Amino acid sequence: PSDQVRTAIFVVVGIIVSGVCEALLRARERVEEQARELQTEMHARQLRERERQEMEHRKDEFLAVLAHELRNPLAVQRASLEALQDGIYPLTPENLQPVLEQNILLSRLVDDLRTLALADAGQLTLERTPVDLLALLQRMVEKFRPQAASNDTSGTRLPPQAIVPRYQGGAPSIGVGAW
């Protein structure tokens, strides 16, 4: 072939090779981008799996604490009821009081579980009600007065009502165990 034909062939082959090289470079860039995206997705999945495992661990710890917290009042109730049944203690309101208190505690724990379940399901609603903090403090003081009698707490006084702020919130969640 003539020099012109050879030159034309080289030019055409050069153009083809150049186009193939550009296509290969673009394909390589797409593969590298997809590899980066895959790496990012794998990292995100690993983070989600760690978070899931951590949540599972916290749930297991919570359930262990919950079982313990439920077992204690049940044990007190059972022991008190067995003592009453066996005649160790006479059946009096004073001897039934610990059973009632433990039953109230168990009811609160079960209510708290229900609240957690509702919160977990996204169905928890906050009902705001005014709370008289002074009255709450007075009830708490009265509840703990017998324990305080053995200590020198004679100088302890509640503040005047004028300086106790009003609280707007969920009354049952304040002072749990002190109502």
Side-chain angles (χ1 to χ4, degrees), residues 54-118:
E54 177 63 27
M55 287 177 60
E56 187 73 23
H57 177 70
R58 283 187 289 199
K59 182 187 83 168
D60 291 345
E61 284 180 347
F62 169 76
L63 290 175
V65 168
L66 175 65
H68 175 75
E69 291 298 321
L70 289 173
R71 210 176 356 254
N72 285 344
L74 285 171
V76 170
Q77 279 186 343
R78 183 176 183 168
S80 297
L81 290 172
E82 286 176 353
L84 290 169
Q85 187 179 36
D86 294 343
I88 296 171
Y89 298 128
L91 186 58
T92 65
E94 294 81 24
N95 289 335
L96 283 174
Q97 189 61 35
V99 176
L100 178 61
E101 288 173 2
Q102 294 303 310
N103 188 274
I104 291 169
L105 177 61
L106 280 171
S107 295
R108 284 194 187 119
L109 286 171
V110 171
D111 288 344
D112 289 348
L113 281 175
R114 183 176 184 280
T115 300
L116 287 173
L118 288 172

Side-chain angles (χ1 to χ4, degrees), residues 8-173:
I9 291 174
F10 283 129
V11 168
V12 169
V13 169
I15 291 173
I16 292 173
V17 168
S18 175
V20 168
C21 286
E22 283 183 33
L24 287 173
L25 284 174
R26 283 193 303 266
R28 179 180 177 186
E29 288 171 358
R30 282 194 308 267
V31 167
E32 288 174 350
E33 178 63 27
Q34 289 173 347
R36 283 190 297 275
E37 288 173 2
L38 184 57
Q39 186 78 15
T40 301
E41 178 63 28
M42 286 174 48
H43 181 69
R45 284 184 184 190
Q46 289 170 344
L47 285 176
R48 284 192 303 266
E49 177 61 19
R50 275 189 244 135
E51 288 173 357
R52 187 197 63 76
Q53 288 174 351
E54 177 63 27
M55 287 177 60
E56 187 73 23
H57 177 70
R58 283 187 289 199
K59 182 187 83 168
D60 291 345
E61 284 180 347
F62 169 76
L63 290 175
V65 168
L66 175 65
H68 175 75
E69 291 298 321
L70 289 173
R71 210 176 356 254
N72 285 344
L74 285 171
V76 170
Q77 279 186 343
R78 183 176 183 168
S80 297
L81 290 172
E82 286 176 353
L84 290 169
Q85 187 179 36
D86 294 343
I88 296 171
Y89 298 128
L91 186 58
T92 65
E94 294 81 24
N95 289 335
L96 283 174
Q97 189 61 35
V99 176
L100 178 61
E101 288 173 2
Q102 294 303 310
N103 188 274
I104 291 169
L105 177 61
L106 280 171
S107 295
R108 284 194 187 119
L109 286 171
V110 171
D111 288 344
D112 289 348
L113 281 175
R114 183 176 184 280
T115 300
L116 287 173
L118 288 172
D120 191 43
Q123 298 175 349
L124 183 65
T125 58
L126 177 63
E127 294 181 28
R128 294 179 157 261
T129 57
V131 177
D132 185 347
L133 290 179
L134 184 59
L136 174 63
L137 287 172
Q138 288 171 335
R139 285 194 307 269
M140 292 175 77
V141 166
E142 289 306 313
K143 178 177 174 113
F144 292 104
R145 190 172 302 280
Q147 289 113 340
S150 63
N151 299 325
D152 181 22
T153 58
S154 59
T156 304
R157 302 255 185 260
L158 288 177
Q161 188 170 3
I163 64 169
V164 177
R166 299 285 297 164
Y167 172 79
Q168 187 81 3
S173 64

